[in-house]
Amino acid sequence: MNKRFIKEKWYWILTAIVLLGELAVFLIAGEQHTYIGVHDNLDIHITDYKLLKDNHAFFKQAMQMPILGGISRDFLLSEFYLYSLIHALLPTFAAYITGYFLKIIIALVGGYLLGKDILGKEFAEVEWIVVLSSLTYGLLPVYPAFSFSFTSIPLLIYIIRRLENSGEKRYFLYLFFYPMISYFTFFGPFIVGYIMIYLIYRSIKNRRIDLKLLLGSLFLCLGYVLIEYRLFRLIFMSGEPTIRDTMAFSNRDALGILKLVFEGFVYNMFHCEDVHRIVVLPIVIISLIVINAGYIKRGEYRQILKDYINLVFIFILFNSLVYGLQECEIVREAFFALVPPLKGWQFERTIFFNPFLWYLEIALIAIRAVRQRVKAVPPIVVGVTFLVVVGTQTLYNDFYNTIYVNAYRIIKGKESETLSYGEFFSAKLFEEIKADIDYNGEYAVAYGYHPAVLTYNKIATLDACLSHYYQSYKEDFREIIAPALDRSDDAREYFDGWGGRAYIFSPTTESIWLPSRTKEVPDHNLYIDAEAFRKLGGRYVFSRIELDNADDLGLILINSYSEASSPYTIWVYKN
């Protein structure tokens, strides 16, 4: 590698070092020492993919899956998503790590193509800003199972721009296949809606309908429908109510809605926790003040609404406003009345576009500084945002969490309460349990931990985490956990108002399933209706807690099990 290349393309070398460094950490840590966010990740999507793979069900039709007493395959994620295909081809942990790096590569490719397309001849001077900003955006700790949806937004904009400007047929094809790296219920309706708004704007401006854009949006819609054919089949053909039909929404007054708008603006949702509040938000606000003060001072008022940095900021404000309006009953009910099939759909997910918009602002500010020859600003702005993203602890910052927890173990000489990927699933322990009890596919429940652990280890469950299943099963399962719900208002409101976590509750310990190395609870009774449990097909209780009332429930203790690599002690009961 010659010195000229290093000098001119140092940012690509830095990008490669970052990616190789993170890969080395995950390879060295392995399953047993990699720390991955559990909530809405290991406890649902990653386990669902393994469930599909274990049952050879990715492409199967009319097949029942051994969770929630035997639900339809259609309730699980589409087989045509790229993320799904990775899990179909690779072992689960390897697929997860592959997905982690692919979302970064998607951000890099999309950001590079979009930057080059927009900036033209100017691109060479600011290529380093585009590349490093795209890298930072790709490293954002967003919802892992749908991370491609987040990081592919620049790529989508690039495809639409090229379609509009060139009209080449291949871009229609790209739009058709784009849903493979998107996710309909999180992004699809919003993307189509924003394209329609842009189409209307272009049509009014040019006094004619942009047929290329209209046809492209139709290709995109067709792609979403074909990718998510299972979801559309459930919505329009099943005719059976789901938990989405009875889901309860919070309602706030005007002040509460404004507070939620502010929280969305500053923090986003935890699914897209982009840590912009730490340095990105202050940088953007300061830049907006400086830029617009200049326009006002020069009397260039029209430029305020033409400046791209201002326009992106307005988009951020709009998404934050919609986020708050989800809890305005009048707005929400009016929306569901207009579009009944989307009842229960969370339209506040416009906030999912804000991570891209915040970090787009940083790139635009840095590029503006280059244009104005303010040399110190771009490297500081780009460098600091990168360091904050990599070095801030969040639920889905797997790289940071893996480094931190392993460092804690080495420095302190003891294990933390956080469980690694391997510890959370404890595959060796459950293989030993299944062999000892001669397990043969009987339905079970988990107590004191996520039922996903059982699912991952090929144990059929009556309980599971799933945000979309039939209301009838929710009512059947409720009979099992009624004794716990009757004793806890919080548990009752949580389950009845949502039901996505059809879990065994404790009336004395909130979220008793939360993963931790030690599990100490004040009450060792299991609050279930044993007859309802048997009626629904339940045969085993796999518990992290030794039960005091097993005899009263008609449960027989088979044995307790532990294993050196697992933090669990599991008491197995059979009726």
Side-chain angles (χ1 to χ4, degrees):
M1 189 179 298
N2 59 50
K3 292 182 179 180
R4 182 179 178 182
F5 180 82
I6 295 173
K7 184 178 179 180
E8 292 182 355
K9 302 296 182 181
W10 58 271
Y11 43 91
W12 282 114
I13 297 171
L14 178 60
T15 298
I17 290 172
V18 170
L19 295 180
L20 290 173
E22 292 207 357
L23 179 60
V25 167
F26 291 128
L27 289 177
I28 293 169
E31 293 187 22
Q32 200 61 24
H33 295 292
T34 295
Y35 293 84
I36 291 171
V38 171
H39 185 71
D40 282 2
N41 191 27
L42 298 188
D43 62 347
I44 174 169
H45 301 299
I46 304 308
T47 305
D48 286 350
Y49 281 127
K50 188 170 187 298
L51 176 70
L52 290 171
K53 187 165 188 174
D54 289 342
N55 290 274
H56 309 287
F58 272 96
F59 298 93
K60 291 289 181 65
Q61 305 294 323
M63 182 176 182
Q64 284 191 327
M65 307 304 298
I67 59 170
L68 296 177
I71 65 164
S72 167
R73 157 68 183 93
D74 287 357
F75 281 106
L76 302 181
L77 292 166
S78 170
E79 62 269 40
F80 294 118
Y81 286 122
L82 177 59
Y83 202 83
S84 298
L85 294 172
I86 294 169
H87 279 269
L89 294 171
L90 298 175
T92 305
F93 179 74
Y96 183 85
I97 299 301
T98 300
Y100 176 90
F101 285 99
L102 267 180
K103 63 120 175 175
I104 302 172
I105 292 170
I106 289 170
L108 281 167
V109 171
Y112 182 87
L113 291 174
L114 180 61
K116 192 172 184 179
D117 184 59
I118 292 175
L119 295 168
K121 295 179 180 179
E122 187 185 3
F123 180 73
E125 185 179 10
V126 296
E127 181 179 348
W128 70 271
I129 294 176
V130 173
V131 171
L132 295 184
S133 295
S134 299
L135 173 64
T136 301
Y137 178 57
L139 289 168
L140 289 183
V142 294
Y143 204 170
F146 309 124
S147 58
F148 296 177
S149 301
F150 288 94
T151 61
S152 65
I153 293 174
L155 181 61
L156 173 65
I157 297 172
Y158 167 77
I159 293 170
I160 293 172
R161 280 179 54 86
R162 294 307 304 150
L163 173 64
E164 188 177 16
N165 294 330
S166 73
E168 294 181 27
K169 294 180 181 179
R170 57 178 170 154
Y171 294 108
F172 291 110
L173 193 63
Y174 295 161
L175 280 176
F176 176 76
F177 284 108
Y178 174 75
M180 291 185 68
I181 54 173
S182 185
Y183 181 53
F184 178 75
T185 59
F186 273 25
F187 285 89
F190 302 116
I191 289 173
V192 174
Y194 289 147
I195 292 175
M196 288 295 100
I197 292 171
Y198 181 64
L199 174 63
I200 293 170
Y201 163 75
R202 295 289 297 177
S203 299
I204 293 173
K205 183 178 179 180
N206 298 330
R207 297 183 181 180
R208 60 180 177 82
I209 296 176
D210 189 327
L211 294 178
K212 295 193 297 293
L213 199 56
L214 178 60
L215 186 59
S217 64
L218 293 176
F219 271 88
L220 181 66
C221 290
L222 180 61
Y224 273 121
V225 170
L226 293 179
I227 292 290
E228 276 288 11
Y229 74 97
R230 295 179 187 273
L231 175 64
F232 285 98
R233 185 161 63 192
L234 286 170
I235 293 174
F236 295 109
M237 298 178 66
S238 72
E240 188 171 344
T242 71
I243 63 171
R244 289 283 169 178
D245 296 298
T246 59
M247 186 179 297
F249 289 92
S250 299
N251 295 313
R252 302 195 186 202
D253 57 19
L255 186 61
I257 291 170
L258 287 175
K259 182 181 178 182
L260 188 60
V261 170
F262 176 79
E263 290 173 356
F265 176 75
V266 175
Y267 298 102
N268 282 347
M269 290 176 66
F270 76 88
H271 285 130
C272 55
E273 191 175 359
D274 61 4
V275 300
H276 74 273
R277 66 187 181 278
I278 298 174
V279 295
V280 171
L281 178 58
I283 290 172
V284 171
I285 296 299
I286 291 169
S287 299
L288 288 169
I289 292 172
V290 172
I291 290 167
N292 291 300
Y295 287 137
I296 294 170
K297 184 178 180 180
R298 295 188 298 271
E300 299 173 345
Y301 301 107
R302 291 187 177 181
Q303 289 300 116
I304 292 175
L305 290 179
K306 292 182 179 180
D307 192 297
Y308 288 115
I309 295 176
N310 285 336
L311 293 175
V312 171
F313 189 72
I314 291 170
F315 200 174
I316 290 171
L317 292 176
F318 171 78
N319 291 334
S320 302
L321 176 63
V322 175
Y323 178 71
L325 290 176
Q326 173 77 27
E327 297 197 5
C328 176
E329 185 176 12
I330 296 174
V331 173
R332 187 177 62 248
E333 293 305 318
F335 176 80
F336 292 156
L338 288 171
V339 196
L342 294 182
K343 186 176 182 181
W345 183 56
Q346 295 167 283
F347 59 78
E348 86 272 26
R349 288 169 176 168
T350 54
I351 201 78
F352 286 168
F353 290 88
N354 278 5
F356 166 67
L357 297 173
W358 280 116
Y359 286 84
L360 174 61
E361 288 280 62
I362 288 298
L364 292 174
I365 289 167
I367 291 170
R368 179 77 57 88
V370 169
R371 288 172 178 167
Q372 296 178 353
R373 304 303 174 189
V374 186
K375 295 183 179 180
V377 170
I380 293 174
V381 168
V382 174
V384 170
T385 54
F386 168 79
L387 292 174
V388 168
V389 167
V390 174
T392 302
Q393 195 282 325
T394 66
L395 173 62
Y396 298 131
N397 194 339
D398 299 329
F399 175 72
Y400 176 93
N401 293 335
T402 297
I403 293 288
Y404 179 85
V405 179
N406 279 296
Y408 177 93
R409 175 172 55 86
I410 294 169
I411 295 170
K412 296 286 187 178
K414 62 179 182 180
E415 300 286 354
S416 74
E417 283 294 305
T418 305
L419 301 186
S420 69
Y421 178 96
E423 290 172 328
F424 178 77
F425 289 119
S426 292
K428 187 175 180 181
L429 170 63
F430 282 93
E431 284 301 314
E432 293 179 3
I433 294 174
K434 288 193 297 180
D436 188 66
I437 67 175
D438 195 24
Y439 178 75
N440 191 33
E442 299 89 349
Y443 277 100
V445 294
Y447 185 55
Y449 58 105
H450 288 282
V453 174
L454 297 183
T455 303
Y456 187 94
N457 288 293
K458 303 181 184 179
I459 296 173
T461 62
L462 297 178
D463 46 352
C465 178
L466 199 63
S467 60
H468 189 214
Y469 62 92
Y470 288 132
Q471 175 68 18
S472 58
Y473 186 80
K474 178 182 176 181
E475 293 167 1
D476 290 341
F477 189 81
R478 194 191 191 285
E479 293 183 22
I480 296 177
I481 60 175
L485 302 187
D486 291 343
R487 291 170 171 83
S488 171
D489 292 338
D490 289 340
R492 183 171 61 256
E493 291 174 6
Y494 181 69
F495 182 79
D496 289 346
W498 180 41
R501 293 193 186 277
Y503 282 16
I504 305 299
F505 288 78
S506 166
T508 58
T509 303
E510 184 179 357
S511 302
I512 195 169
W513 53 81
L514 292 180
S516 59
R517 192 166 301 280
T518 56
K519 182 68 67 172
E520 297 178 0
V521 297
D523 188 349
H524 282 240
N525 288 321
L526 178 66
Y527 295 90
I528 64 169
D529 183 320
E531 186 57 36
F533 174 65
R534 296 183 184 96
K535 183 180 177 182
L536 208 56
R539 292 295 175 264
Y540 289 102
V541 175
F542 291 80
S543 176
R544 280 197 73 183
I545 299 153
E546 186 175 11
L547 303 178
D548 287 343
N549 65 336
D551 291 343
D552 297 337
L553 296 172
L555 299 174
I556 300 170
L557 176 64
I558 297 177
N559 207 343
S560 63
Y561 300 88
S562 59
E563 192 272 326
S565 64
S566 171
Y568 303 146
T569 295
I570 301 295
W571 282 266
V572 180
Y573 298 87
K574 187 176 183 179
N575 65 37

